[in-house]
């Protein structure tokens, strides 16, 4: 007789098991690669060739670029490749209305023409060691602050055990929500120079319309070079520095790609949360993401209208606008993807499958459900408040001044702190328009007043519910405010001579205390701190304790699942295959786009889809050289099933032999929920083809001297 109860349970649990089967998602620590699985997919090199501390390996060519992106070395002279959007701030800083590298591109004619970028760094990972035993020693019976204090003490002990060179440091990072710890030995180089960048009409082609979208036709790359001292060691910028000689650099392949080719991506993914309970994913999908989307939507609409009609504003706000738009669109795709992939339902079924195997997990899940439900209204207000203050930059400024005033009156501002503060503000004012932001601020105040329950708002905040009435009021305040740079103090404005404005801080503070913008920001901050901040934090502390326990229970109970640690900006390897996709009914995407597709999208004069005349001429003459594929056209972008996220921007995409075949820069919109729920049906990473990169360098930029540095694999 068939055991119907067993069949029913199996039927219920099977979808969860299938849903969380490996299917080649994952961001793996490079010392713990599944070499067997990678070779089954087609990899021809060994795991040691990817990461080895005893001799040169691919990891020696992969760096974290300026703390947020990834880059890779592609020549024996320290030539560095990353995304155009990763180097956008540097390209912008060298640009002006008269010398507009954003619009026209920049290409050094030789090394002497390469441009320095003060403050920009690249980090190499020299070694990775697990230090869990040392860090968690003695913590088994401790909780809360006592456990945290001992862990911090043990981390310092673990760090002290490393013998470091003067130019090295060690950082210890938690994995699996603190169930494991790893130490990273880091070497930081500080002289990084801009070598070349295509015009934005290539590097940002499609701009915001195509961001997170496939098919894509974007040449999202820029080139830098690492410089070192005469001993090849890290050094501050100096004209006497020389090009860095790497232990390893990546050969660049221009071989044609085929669907199902093996590929892997090496880089520094920023943050994922793959192991959250269903309740947490539901709150993100239905409350948190929609709130943040609504705030950025308002800001973007106002900025866009001004940028389209004023060139100076376009340059000033270019990087800022792109940054705001990036996650606005990502969150929209994330919500849609979570719904489409039934992420909440899948998590709920998985939780039930775990409970069926291990009944002690039920109290953990119940506790998480209770805590997330209790936290929800406070977390929602946090989302609104932080996004409003971040995107209404007049309020951002006001909060910086408030903190300065409090610290100054408490005697915490010395000359060094004062200089750092004024320098930071001076940098902010370079890309800020008080008049434009007055409109943004007025509109966001209305959104916040209408969306937020009164318990979270300052008294009488309902007066800001009408954005049309807000605009003249906020404009008047802005026009007469020192902090917006529109009113002088001590004979100067903060955007022209900030040191003169701050020459007498005591008198400045007296004046600022009567500023209506400052008073508004102070009232909003006080309401947020008194109603929300502590409550969110205390509940989150409880959630974190249970999440750590839940993570350990998942790993102990589900022996069929391969677990990788969530991304936390540490070096990882993800692997998969070159693939197209079928994201919606009757919609099928190929894996490769070509230059012909650029011309199909071409809109003369449009800020997103204009095409440079020289690229049009190259297309018309079919002057493609060795960079065309079997179709006779130059491939531009391609997709694969690699599991990537923010921070993987600029990561090398490598083939089965470890050759560079592409430059990771985006994900397909239908799969952006992969930060929370990787689904191989929809999740695709998007890369610039190396053929297109070399084609632009060679044929468009006439910078063949850079090609000559590289090792080209044909």
């Amino acid at each position: 007789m068939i055991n119907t109860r067993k069949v029913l349970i199996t039927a219920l649990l099977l979808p969860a098991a299938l849903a969380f089967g490996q299917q080649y998602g994952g961001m793996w620590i490079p010392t713990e690669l599944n070499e067997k699985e990678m070779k089954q997919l087609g990899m021809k090199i060994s795991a040691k060739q990817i990461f080895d501390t005893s001799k040169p390996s691919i990891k020696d060519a992969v760096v974290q670029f300026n703390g947020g992106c990834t880059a890779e070395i592609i020549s024996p002279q320290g030539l560095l490749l990353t995304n155009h959007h990763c180097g956008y701030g540097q390209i912008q800083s060298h640009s002006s209305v008269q010398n507009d590298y954003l619009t026209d591109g920049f290409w050094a004619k030789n090394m002497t023409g390469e441009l320095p970028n003060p403050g920009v760094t690249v980090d190499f990972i020299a070694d990775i060691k697990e230090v869990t035993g040392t860090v968690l020693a003695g913590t088994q019976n401790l909780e809360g602050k006592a456990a945290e204090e001992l862990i911090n003490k043990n981390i310092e002990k673990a760090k002290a055990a490393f013998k470091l060179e003067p130019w090295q440091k060690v950082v210890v990072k938690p994995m699996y929500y603190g169930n494991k710890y790893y130490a990273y030995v880091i070497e930081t180089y500080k002289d990084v120079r801009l070598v070349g960048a295509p015009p934005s009409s290539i590097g940002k082609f499609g701009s915001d319309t195509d961001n997170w979208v496939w098919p894509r036709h974007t040449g999202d790359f820029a080139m830098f070079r690492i410089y070192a001292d005469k001993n090849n060691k890290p050094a501050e910028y100096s004209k006497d520095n020389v090009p860095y000689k790497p232990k390893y650099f990546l050969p660049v392949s221009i071989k044609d790609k085929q669907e199902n080719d093996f590929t892997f991506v090496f880089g520094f993914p920023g943050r994922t949360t793959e192991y959250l309970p269903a309740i947490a994913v539901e709150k993100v999908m239905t409350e948190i993401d929609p709130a943040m989307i609504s705030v950025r939507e308002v800001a973007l609409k106002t900025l866009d209208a001004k940028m389209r009609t004023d060139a100076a504003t376009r340059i000033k706000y270019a990087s800022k606008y792109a940054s705001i738009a990036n996650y606005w669109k990502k969150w929209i795709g994330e919500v849609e993807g979570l719904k489409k992939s039934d992420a909440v339902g899948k998590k709920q079924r998985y939780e039930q499958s775990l409970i069926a195997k291990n009944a002690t997990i039920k109290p953990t899940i119940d506790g998480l459900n209770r805590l997330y439900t209790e936290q929800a209204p406070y977390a929602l207000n946090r989302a609104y408040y932080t996004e409003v203050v971040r995107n209404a930059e007049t309020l951002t400024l006001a909060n910086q001044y408030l903190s300065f005033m409090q610290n100054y009156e408490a005697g915490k501002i010395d000359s060094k702190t004062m200089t750092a503060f004024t320098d930071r503000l001076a940098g902010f004012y370079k890309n800020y328009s008080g008049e434009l932001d007055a409109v943004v601020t007025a509109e966001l105040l209305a959104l916040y007043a209408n969306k937020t329950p009164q318990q979270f708002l300052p008294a009488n905040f309902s007066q800001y519910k009408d954005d049309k009435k807000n605009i003249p009021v906020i404009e008047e305040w802005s026009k007469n405010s020192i902090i917006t740079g529109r009113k002088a103090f001590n004979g100067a404005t903060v955007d022209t001579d900030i040191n003169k404005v701050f020459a007498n801080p005591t008198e400045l503070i007296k004046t600022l205390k009567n500023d209506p913008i400052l008073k508004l920001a102070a009232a909003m901050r006080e309401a947020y701190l008194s109603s929300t901040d502590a409550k969110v934090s205390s509940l989150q502390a409880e959630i974190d304790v249970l999440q750590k326990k839940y993570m350990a229970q998942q790993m102990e109970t589900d022996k069929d699942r391969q677990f990788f640690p969530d991304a936390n900006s540490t070096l990882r390897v993800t692997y998969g295959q070159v693939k197209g996709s079928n994201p919606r009914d009757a919609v099928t995407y190929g894996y490769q786009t070509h230059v012909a597709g650029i011309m199909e999208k071409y809109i003369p004069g449009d800020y997103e889809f204009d095409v440079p005349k020289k690229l049009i001429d190259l297309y018309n003459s079919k002057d493609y050289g060795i960079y065309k594929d079997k179709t006779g056209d130059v491939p531009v972008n391609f997709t694969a099933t690699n599991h990537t996220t923010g921070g993987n921007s600029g990561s090398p995409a490598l083939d089965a032999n470890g050759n560079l075949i592409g430059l990771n820069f985006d994900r397909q919109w239908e799969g952006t929920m992969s930060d929370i729920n990787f689904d191989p049906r929809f999740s695709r990473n998007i890369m610039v083809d190396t053929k297109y990169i070399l084609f632009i360098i060679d044929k468009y930029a006439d910078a063949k001297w850079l090609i000559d540095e590289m090792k080209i694999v044909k």
Side-chain angles (χ1 to χ4, degrees), residues 332-359:
I332 294 172
E334 184 170 84
V335 170
E336 292 302 312
L338 290 172
K339 290 177 180 176
K340 184 186 290 289
S341 64
D342 187 28
V344 175
K346 185 166 71 172
K347 292 255 182 195
Q348 288 170 338
R349 291 189 293 274
Y350 183 62
E351 288 166 10
Q352 292 307 307
S353 75
L354 291 173
I355 291 168
K357 296 175 184 176
N358 180 357

Side-chain angles (χ1 to χ4, degrees), residues 203-442:
K204 269 176 63 87
F205 183 78
S207 192
D208 302 306
T209 297
D210 274 6
N211 190 25
W212 303 104
V213 168
W214 184 259
R216 197 72 178 273
H217 300 83
T218 309
D220 194 350
F221 76 95
M223 306 185 81
F224 292 79
R225 191 185 305 278
I226 306 171
Y227 281 76
D229 66 16
K230 62 182 181 180
N231 298 314
N232 208 39
K233 302 305 180 188
E236 298 290 343
Y237 170 79
S238 168
K239 60 182 178 58
D240 297 325
N241 286 346
V242 295
Y244 170 69
K245 293 180 175 57
K247 296 177 185 175
Y248 189 88
F249 66 92
L250 299 178
V252 183
S253 172
I254 55 171
K255 292 182 179 179
D256 283 3
K257 294 163 192 62
Q258 307 293 333
E259 190 139 24
N260 298 320
D261 279 355
F262 174 80
T263 177
F264 68 102
V265 170
F266 210 166
F268 294 83
R271 178 168 167 76
T272 59
T273 49
E274 299 284 337
Y275 305 106
L276 294 175
I279 184 74
V281 177
E282 182 181 22
K283 296 302 180 187
V284 168
M285 183 178 74
T286 62
E287 297 179 11
I288 304 301
D289 276 3
M292 297 189 297
I293 289 165
S294 67
V295 174
R296 294 200 177 197
E297 206 158 62
V298 170
L300 289 168
K301 184 177 179 181
T302 304
L303 295 179
D304 180 66
K306 182 68 173 176
M307 290 169 69
R308 284 180 179 270
T309 58
D310 184 76
T313 301
R314 177 181 56 79
I315 291 174
K316 182 180 282 190
Y317 273 82
S319 181
K320 194 180 297 181
Y321 183 94
S323 178
I324 297 168
N326 189 41
Y327 267 75
W328 165 75
K329 195 167 186 177
K330 188 261 186 184
W331 291 326
I332 294 172
E334 184 170 84
V335 170
E336 292 302 312
L338 290 172
K339 290 177 180 176
K340 184 186 290 289
S341 64
D342 187 28
V344 175
K346 185 166 71 172
K347 292 255 182 195
Q348 288 170 338
R349 291 189 293 274
Y350 183 62
E351 288 166 10
Q352 292 307 307
S353 75
L354 291 173
I355 291 168
K357 296 175 184 176
N358 180 357
T360 63
I361 293 177
K362 188 177 188 305
T364 308
I365 296 294
D366 290 345
L368 287 166
N369 287 337
R370 176 184 58 80
L371 289 168
Y372 273 107
T373 301
E374 186 179 347
Q375 188 193 49
Y378 304 99
L380 182 59
N381 183 51
R382 179 182 58 181
Y384 274 121
Y385 175 79
T386 54
E387 281 295 311
V388 166
V389 170
R390 179 185 290 119
N391 290 283
E393 291 186 303
T394 301
L395 296 178
T396 305
L397 276 170
N399 275 289
Q400 291 187 49
Y401 277 84
L402 280 168
S403 296
F404 163 77
M405 290 161 61
Q406 291 168 355
N407 288 327
Y408 186 83
E409 292 182 329
K412 297 179 180 178
I413 302 289
D414 56 21
S415 59
K416 185 177 179 181
T417 310
M418 176 70 84
T419 300
F421 175 69
T422 53
D423 286 350
R424 187 170 68 249
L425 277 183
F428 188 96
Y429 286 118
K430 287 179 182 178
N431 297 314
Y432 169 76
S433 165
E435 184 178 4
L436 174 57
D437 195 65
V439 180
V440 175
T441 299

Side-chain angles (χ1 to χ4, degrees), residues 16 123 155 181 191 217 221 386 389 425 442 545 600 668 673:
D123 290 341
I155 285 174
Y181 284 82
D191 187 352
H217 300 83
F221 76 95
T386 54
V389 170
L425 277 183
V545 170
E600 290 173 0
Q668 195 165 309
M673 81 297 186

